[in-house]
């Protein structure tokens, strides 16, 4: 159905969803629309439809009993770490993972191409799959399906990479050892490797000493031509697993100095050089956005913002992002970075490429859709917030999931009784959108 306020946007209502806590759902658009979410009863649900159809097919995959947490794999609690993610392999089979925070690996694969009604729960390799978090699918340069997850826990974990063998129809290790390892003393919070315009893979991460978010430190970098062999920015080889001692240090911020894993991103300037943005405190203890790039053979950092507040995060559990800083991108010929703050301010910095100086700060709405779509209208609760998630694997996205739910609350139940929310797909008409 078209939105009368914006004829370029159409909305397709999927159905009821969980609204009494916030956790990320996912949307994958290929031959069909595929959506993974939790229904009002906190049960894993998968929906699909063809682009020309109006009605959604709904499935409820079933998983095994988990005695440690006294629930089934297909049931979730109030943990905002328990997001869901989807992928489709080269033969059209569906792969689904999520709903795990230091839990046994939750993974389903469809019995046939595009078949949401027969999603079978199973292990991947069967090794190091008892305490898993942060599942993510992506593809390599040849289009082969890969999967990354953390084995362990916050403050003590390793990043594991698997690859899907399309011939044997089995998962196997991409690397025989972790890519990043805390050796039982810490863990890395990494962004997925990003394919750069130079044909290389680029990756950033920070280390954390304990489950408390204020113990993040040491923003780091590595690159690779094949995801197997990794080097520093200067080509110096890195022995795997990469550790705190061996990584290529971008910013040596110590615990308590403002590094936070949800605000670190990597992009590229017009010459294809990797450029990193992140949050940390300045000398006065205020929150600032920072930018970094290799110059004259070493990492050079400088602040982008001149804010006079402090995002004083600390403790365990999921927290909302008071500061969102985009990856650097090229816009209208300029290197740019956008930001969104919890107090409602948002905008964009235009940046000189020669020395990363801020040329201009523009205050503007920088979110993907117009402000109307970020206003609640389902009347669930005064504390409810709009959740709007772009489709997976496509930039810029043309489709978004939208629903309303109570905000992130450190993975605990609010105690509030809410009716079900309504989950929809919003689609931008690419043919008529001239912007």
């Amino acid at each position: 159905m078209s939105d009368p306020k914006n004829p370029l946007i159409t909305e397709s209502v999927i159905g009821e969803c969980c609204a009494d806590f916030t956790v990320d759902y996912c949307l994958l658009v290929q031959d069909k629309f595929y959506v993974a979410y939790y229904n009002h009863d906190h049960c894993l649900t998968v929906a699909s439809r063809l682009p020309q159809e109006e009605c959604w097919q709904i499935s409820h995959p079933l998983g095994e009993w988990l005695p440690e947490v006294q629930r089934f794999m297909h049931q979730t609690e109030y943990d905002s770490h328990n997001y869901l993610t989807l992928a489709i392999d080269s033969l059209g089979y569906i792969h689904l993972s999520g709903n795990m925070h230091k839990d046994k690996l939750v993974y389903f694969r469809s019995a046939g191409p595009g078949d949401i009604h027969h999603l079978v729960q199973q292990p991947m390799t069967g090794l190091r799959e008892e305490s898993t978090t942060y599942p993510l699918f992506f593809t390599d340069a040849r289009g082969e399906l890969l999967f990354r997850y953390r084995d362990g826990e916050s403050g003590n974990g390793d990043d594991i990479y698997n690859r899907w063998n399309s011939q044997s129809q089995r998962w196997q290790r991409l690397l025989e050892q972790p890519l990043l390892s805390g050796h039982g003393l810490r863990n890395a919070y990494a962004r997925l490797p990003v394919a750069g315009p130079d044909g290389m893979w680029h990756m950033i991460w920070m280390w954390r000493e304990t489950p408390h978010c204020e113990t993040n430190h040491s923003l780091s970098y590595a690159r690779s031509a094949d995801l197997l062999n990794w080097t520093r920015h200067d080509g110096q080889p890195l022995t795997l697993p990469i550790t705190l001692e061996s990584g290529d240090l971008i910013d040596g911020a110590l615990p308590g100095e403002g590094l936070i894993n949800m605000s670190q991103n990597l992009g590229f300037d017009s010459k294809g050089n990797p450029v990193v943005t992140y949050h940390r405190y300045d000398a006065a203890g205020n929150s600032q956005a920072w930018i970094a790039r290799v110059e004259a053979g070493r990492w050079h950092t400088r602040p982008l913002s001149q804010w006079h507040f402090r995002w004083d995060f600390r403790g365990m559990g999921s927290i909302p992002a008071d500061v969102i800083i985009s990856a650097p991108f090229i816009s209208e010929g300029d290197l740019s970075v956008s930001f969104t703050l919890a107090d409602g301010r948002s905008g964009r910095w235009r940046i000189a490429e020669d020395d990363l100086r801020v040329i201009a700060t523009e205050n503007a709405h920088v979110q993907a859709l117009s402000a109307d779509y970020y206003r609640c209208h389902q009347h669930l609760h005064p504390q409810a917030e709009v959740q709007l998630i772009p489709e997976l694997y496509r930039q810029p996205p043309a489709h978004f999931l939208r629903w309303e739910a109570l905000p992130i609350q450190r993975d605990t139940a609010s105690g509030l009784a809410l009716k079900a929310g309504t989950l929809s797909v919003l689609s931008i008409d690419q043919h008529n959108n001239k912007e």
Side-chain angles (χ1 to χ4, degrees):
M1 154 176 90
S2 295
D3 181 350
K5 296 181 180 179
N6 188 342
L8 299 180
I9 304 290
T10 58
E11 179 179 15
S12 175
V13 175
I14 300 169
E16 294 185 345
C17 67
C18 171
D20 53 1
F21 83 113
T22 287
V23 64
D24 283 353
Y25 304 149
C26 68
L27 166 65
L28 175 61
V29 182
Q30 290 199 357
D31 59 317
K32 299 179 182 178
F33 289 84
Y34 298 93
V35 180
Y37 62 101
Y38 298 112
N39 67 10
H40 186 47
D41 297 319
H42 286 218
C43 290
L44 176 59
T45 307
V46 179
S48 72
R49 71 170 175 84
L50 290 167
Q52 66 271 23
E53 294 177 337
E54 294 186 2
C55 295
W56 290 84
Q57 298 292 314
I58 305 293
S59 171
H60 300 285
L62 300 178
E64 67 182 79
W65 176 254
L66 299 172
E68 298 84 358
V69 290
Q70 292 292 294
R71 63 169 172 82
F72 288 98
M73 265 189 183
H74 57 272
Q75 298 171 318
T76 200
E77 297 155 323
Y78 296 91
D79 193 330
S80 296
H81 292 84
N82 291 358
Y83 65 82
L84 298 167
T85 190
L86 286 163
I88 305 287
D89 66 30
S90 59
L91 298 178
Y93 288 78
I94 303 167
H95 300 256
L96 166 64
S97 187
N99 192 27
M100 55 210 200
H101 184 200
K102 301 183 294 183
D103 296 312
K104 186 173 182 178
L105 180 70
V106 177
Y107 168 68
F108 294 82
R109 181 172 178 259
S110 64
D115 182 4
I116 68 167
H117 297 289
H118 298 91
L119 287 161
V120 181
Q121 182 246 313
Q122 54 196 281
M124 281 190 168
T125 68
L127 301 173
R128 302 191 68 168
E129 295 181 354
E130 297 301 316
S131 181
T132 63
T133 314
Y134 303 126
L136 289 169
F137 295 101
F138 68 112
T139 55
D140 65 13
R142 297 171 295 181
E144 291 190 351
L145 185 61
L146 305 175
F147 182 77
R148 188 204 77 183
Y149 67 96
R150 183 185 73 194
D151 173 49
E153 61 184 333
S154 182
N156 176 12
D158 296 344
D159 280 12
I160 308 295
Y161 284 72
N162 293 340
R163 63 177 292 270
W164 176 250
N165 187 318
S166 56
Q167 292 185 334
S168 65
Q169 298 286 287
R170 296 172 63 91
W171 286 98
Q172 60 191 50
R173 287 283 191 255
L174 174 69
L175 300 164
E176 291 304 316
Q177 60 282 313
L179 178 53
L180 298 167
S181 176
H183 285 323
L185 301 175
R186 59 188 60 88
N187 79 286
Y189 280 89
R191 292 302 193 202
L192 273 180
V194 176
D198 56 357
M200 302 285 286
W201 293 91
H202 303 261
M203 183 176 68
I204 58 170
W205 69 93
M206 59 184 65
W207 296 98
R208 185 185 290 185
E209 293 299 298
T210 77
H212 293 251
C213 58
E214 70 271 21
T215 66
N216 288 322
H217 63 95
S218 304
L219 181 65
S220 305
Y221 167 88
R223 67 179 186 179
S224 174
D226 56 9
L227 295 171
L228 303 175
N229 302 286
W230 290 83
T231 74
R232 299 164 58 91
H233 74 268
D234 56 6
Q236 180 181 336
L238 291 167
T239 301
L240 300 188
I242 302 171
T243 65
L244 171 63
E245 295 74 20
S246 64
D248 187 358
L249 194 63
I250 300 172
D251 188 318
L254 299 174
E257 292 187 343
L259 290 183
I260 183 69
N261 45 290
M262 65 183 69
S263 287
Q264 55 170 337
N265 279 301
L266 185 150
F268 303 91
D269 63 22
S270 63
K271 297 179 180 179
N273 299 306
V275 186
V276 177
T277 53
Y278 59 102
H279 170 282
R280 70 161 290 179
Y281 303 138
D282 62 16
N286 290 320
S287 286
Q288 305 298 348
W290 295 73
I291 191 166
R293 183 179 62 190
V294 172
E295 296 177 2
R298 66 178 184 86
W299 285 99
H300 172 77
T301 69
R302 68 182 302 159
L304 293 171
S305 57
Q306 297 179 357
W307 297 325
H308 299 284
F309 69 90
R310 179 184 176 94
W311 177 16
D312 194 17
F313 50 82
R314 58 186 66 244
M316 301 169 59
S318 302
I319 61 173
D322 284 6
V323 177
I324 299 173
I325 306 165
S326 78
F329 59 96
I330 303 298
S331 175
E332 299 175 353
D334 291 324
L335 184 64
S336 300
V337 174
S338 63
F339 65 90
T340 303
L341 305 181
D343 64 9
R345 287 181 289 167
S346 63
R348 183 183 75 155
W349 295 290
R350 293 174 53 230
I351 300 161
E353 284 210 37
D354 58 346
D355 61 1
L356 302 182
R357 285 177 300 107
V358 173
I359 301 171
T361 301
E362 302 169 353
N363 297 316
H365 178 82
V366 298
Q367 293 169 305
L369 301 178
S370 65
D372 286 344
Y373 292 102
Y374 297 87
R375 298 189 182 104
C376 289
H377 58 72
Q378 295 180 18
H379 307 293
L380 299 175
H381 192 273
Q383 296 178 21
E385 299 175 347
V386 171
Q387 315 300 319
L388 203 147
I389 302 293
E391 64 179 305
L392 294 167
Y393 316 126
R394 181 182 296 175
Q395 288 295 332
H399 309 278
F400 301 81
L401 280 181
R402 187 195 182 280
W403 73 102
E404 298 173 20
L406 291 179
I408 290 173
Q409 48 210 5
R410 292 195 185 265
D411 308 326
T412 59
S414 68
L416 301 172
L418 267 71
K419 66 179 182 179
T422 299
L423 181 66
S424 300
V425 171
L426 302 177
S427 298
I428 301 172
D429 187 337
Q430 297 286 307
H431 299 292
N432 293 319
N433 187 359
K434 303 301 183 182
E435 297 182 354

